[in-house]
Amino acid sequence: MSSSRSPNARGRRASSLAAGGLALAVVAELSSAGLLGLSGWFISACAVAGAATFSSFSYIAPSGGVRAFAMARVAGNYSKRLVLHAAALRRIATARAGLFDRAAAGDRAQVDGLWSGELLDRSMADADSDGMALIECTTPVAVTAALTVGAVLAVAVSTSVVPAAVLLAGVVVMAVIAHRTPGTAREAEQHTRKALRAELVTAVDAWTELASLGAAERLAARTTTRFTRLDTAREAAGRHRHRTTLAIGLIGTATLTATVAVGSAPDAPTFVFVALLALGVLSQAEQLATAAEARAIVKAAHRRLTANLPRPASDPASPAMRSWSTEQGIGFADFPLPPMALRPGRVLGVTVARGAVLVVTGRSGSGKSTLLRALASSLRQATDGRESRPAVVAVAADDHLFTGTLGSNWRLADAALTDDEIDERLAELRLSDSGLTARTPVGPGGRQLSGGELRRVYLGRALARHPHVLIVDEPTTGLDDRTARHVLGILANLPDTTVVLALHDVPACLESAGHMTRLPLDHTSQEAP
């Protein structure tokens, strides 16, 4: 399938499936209501005919109708489940694809700092809720509306307009009560459960550190408080749901009683038919409360999905810069240091030859990390990304390892890496001295590795991509002097890769490199050439 027609084709296919599923749902519920009413009428008519001395009642046609309704109900229910779930899955896929399309089309500096695991998890859950709205919200409303119209017409024809009007009024009142009852209590319960789950996962991962801090008791008390909040939220949601269900149930009972009382049925079978038909409609109308509750959650999810992507508070806007990348090297100009830097407003620019090293130096808070993030984002935007070899690979100070093995993490950079190749590269980074291999488990977030081992694992994974430009923030963090010199020697001898490093000071092993350019950011350093 061509890419030009895939988004529109997916949307049309999902809409067609949704319309077909709704039609099947209506057929299934109409068949259920018809089966209920006709069965009651048929049984009553048979009883009346059996009590009469002489009767010409024929059971052939009504029994055929009962069988027809029963078969239509079974086939309709089975078909609607297949079609509605297929449509819902397509809507979920479309919502997820749209979410990532909007992210890819947005500002790269914003997107780079946006996708935390928590936000991604919430976005995926919102996409699921948005897709399931077809089953949880739209279908109950459409079925109730169709069933009400059909039942009102049937009651009016069988008896009179008055009981039909009473039935219609009762369903409308039930719908109004359900509509005016938002799902805020259920949403609050879900939010509290999510916060508790996140804290428990974090506490399990960091239990050793928490115990060493003597914070276990305080954490247990805080977790107990969160459990209490969850119980309170559940109770509030349960009371809220119970009140709504009770109100709708009372209205339904009153409507059923009034419909039967004001009806002028010509005979007993017709009376039973009207009563059972009204009961079926009112039972379906009770589902509107659940649909309204789900609708409030779906609206909130849809609002978050369609809103502009938020910028996290911890990731301030990166200053704009003009950058370029050619076969001869990279460069940037007109970069103003941000307000949080030690020298805010200072405009920077530099050119670095291919295979050379640019070292950005300065004290903590001087703006080194901000400059590296802005450069990585700007260079990515300046390239078209059509090459298999990436233009820019950045290793942040707080990079991430996924739970698994070293090999599984490095294969995210190069899926073709074998265990032997990974072991060779681990040896080059002197990680094999610590007994690390491709099959070594790293634990959640790399917690089984030391800080120095983590930095070298991040670097090794980045080097596995063979990028044109490698940007590394604090490559020697957690390393002893000997290992730090070895790692910097590797980074300084990548003839086909331009390397940008952020360091507090330039070590002697880089000072002697003839292809190193220094860019100081603080007051005490000399100005850049």
Side-chain angles (χ1 to χ4, degrees):
M1 182 184 297
S2 64
S3 58
S4 60
R5 55 173 290 203
S6 57
N8 292 332
R10 283 198 303 266
R12 288 194 297 269
R13 178 65 172 168
S15 299
S16 300
L17 282 173
L22 289 175
L24 289 170
V26 169
V27 169
E29 294 303 324
L30 287 175
S31 299
S32 297
L35 177 62
L36 181 64
L38 183 58
S39 297
W41 179 90
F42 183 47
I43 293 173
S44 301
C46 288
V48 172
T53 305
F54 298 100
S55 175
S56 59
F57 175 74
S58 175
Y59 64 88
I60 297 177
S63 63
V66 170
R67 292 186 177 91
F69 275 128
M71 293 177 64
R73 183 185 66 168
V74 172
N77 280 326
Y78 178 76
S79 301
K80 81 169 183 182
R81 289 190 182 94
L82 291 179
V83 178
L84 283 177
H85 280 85
L89 288 175
R90 287 182 180 271
R91 288 165 66 102
I92 291 173
T94 301
R96 290 182 173 182
L99 180 69
F100 286 108
D101 288 343
R102 289 194 307 110
D107 177 71
R108 188 59 184 258
Q110 177 180 351
V111 174
D112 283 346
L114 175 66
W115 294 114
S116 65
E118 180 181 357
L119 180 57
L120 184 60
D121 179 67
R122 192 198 73 183
S123 300
M124 292 297 98
D126 287 343
D128 292 349
S129 298
D130 193 43
M132 291 300 291
L134 174 65
I135 295 176
E136 296 179 350
C137 307
T138 307
T139 300
V141 173
V143 168
T144 301
L147 190 57
T148 300
V149 171
V152 166
L153 292 177
V155 171
V157 171
S158 302
T159 55
S160 65
V161 177
V162 176
V166 171
L167 177 60
L168 178 61
V171 174
V172 170
V173 171
M174 295 169 70
V176 170
I177 294 176
H179 178 72
R180 293 174 62 87
T181 308
T184 52
R186 182 180 170 187
E187 191 172 5
E189 178 190 351
Q190 291 181 342
H191 178 76
T192 306
R193 183 185 295 110
K194 178 182 176 181
L196 174 61
R197 182 172 62 247
E199 177 153 316
L200 288 175
V201 171
T202 304
V204 170
D205 288 344
W207 184 255
T208 303
E209 292 88 338
L210 291 170
S212 66
L213 288 171
E217 292 185 2
R218 289 190 293 275
L219 178 64
R222 195 170 73 175
T223 304
T224 301
T225 301
R226 290 190 180 275
F227 269 114
T228 303
R229 290 177 184 173
L230 177 59
D231 289 338
T232 303
R234 284 176 173 173
E235 291 176 1
R239 289 194 301 269
H240 179 83
R241 194 176 298 112
H242 177 72
R243 287 195 299 268
T244 303
T245 303
L246 181 62
I248 291 178
L250 291 175
I251 295 297
T253 302
T255 301
L256 178 61
T257 303
T259 301
V260 173
V262 302
S264 53
D267 49 40
T270 304
F271 176 85
V272 174
F273 170 76
V274 171
L276 293 178
L277 191 60
L279 179 63
V281 173
L282 296 171
S283 298
Q284 176 63 36
E286 289 182 355
Q287 298 183 19
L288 293 177
T290 304
E293 190 174 297
R295 178 175 173 270
I297 297 175
V298 168
K299 285 179 63 178
H302 184 73
R303 184 171 59 251
R304 288 191 292 264
L305 285 173
T306 55
N308 292 329
L309 296 176
R311 186 184 299 278
S314 60
D315 186 33
S318 297
M321 67 161 52
R322 180 169 55 88
S323 67
W324 56 90
S325 177
T326 67
E327 286 296 323
Q328 288 71 40
I330 66 168
F332 68 88
D334 305 329
F335 175 76
L337 285 176
M340 75 286 299
L342 293 180
R343 308 188 71 177
R346 179 187 174 193
V347 179
L348 302 176
V350 71
T351 299
V352 188
R354 181 178 180 180
V357 179
L358 171 65
V359 181
V360 182
T361 62
R363 293 174 292 175
S364 297
S366 60
K368 300 189 301 297
S369 297
T370 301
L371 172 58
L372 263 60
R373 284 198 304 268
L375 180 60
S377 177
S378 181
L379 288 175
R380 285 171 182 151
Q381 291 178 351
T383 58
D384 54 19
R386 288 177 296 183
E387 299 183 50
S388 58
R389 182 184 177 192
V392 182
V393 170
V395 180
D398 56 349
D399 217 331
H400 183 76
L401 283 186
F402 293 91
T403 302
T405 64
L406 281 174
S408 65
N409 276 275
W410 277 26
R411 289 188 184 96
L412 294 173
D414 185 357
L417 284 174
T418 64
D419 284 354
D420 290 339
E421 290 173 334
I422 293 175
D423 289 341
E424 290 179 6
R425 299 188 183 192
L426 289 172
E428 292 174 3
L429 291 166
R430 295 183 176 173
L431 284 166
S432 59
D433 296 346
S434 303
L436 301 184
T437 69
R439 293 163 292 281
T440 300
V442 300
R447 296 180 61 82
Q448 294 187 17
L449 305 180
S450 68
E453 290 171 344
L454 278 175
R455 294 307 294 161
R456 284 177 284 169
V457 168
Y458 297 149
L459 285 172
R461 184 172 61 183
L463 290 171
R465 290 291 285 149
H466 304 290
H468 289 292
V469 182
L470 176 62
I471 299 176
V472 187
D473 194 356
E474 302 292 350
T476 59
T477 299
L479 302 181
D480 59 79
D481 291 340
R482 177 172 172 269
T483 306
R485 288 194 300 270
H486 178 74
V487 169
L488 291 176
I490 293 176
L491 295 177
N493 290 280
L494 299 174
D496 199 32
T497 299
T498 303
V499 179
V500 181
L501 305 177
L503 294 168
H504 290 289
D505 296 294
V506 180
C509 62
L510 287 181
E511 288 279 12
S512 59
H515 54 285
M516 190 274 292
T517 301
R518 180 179 180 182
L519 181 63
L521 299 185
D522 57 19
H523 294 281
T524 58
S525 300
Q526 63 180 14
E527 293 299 322

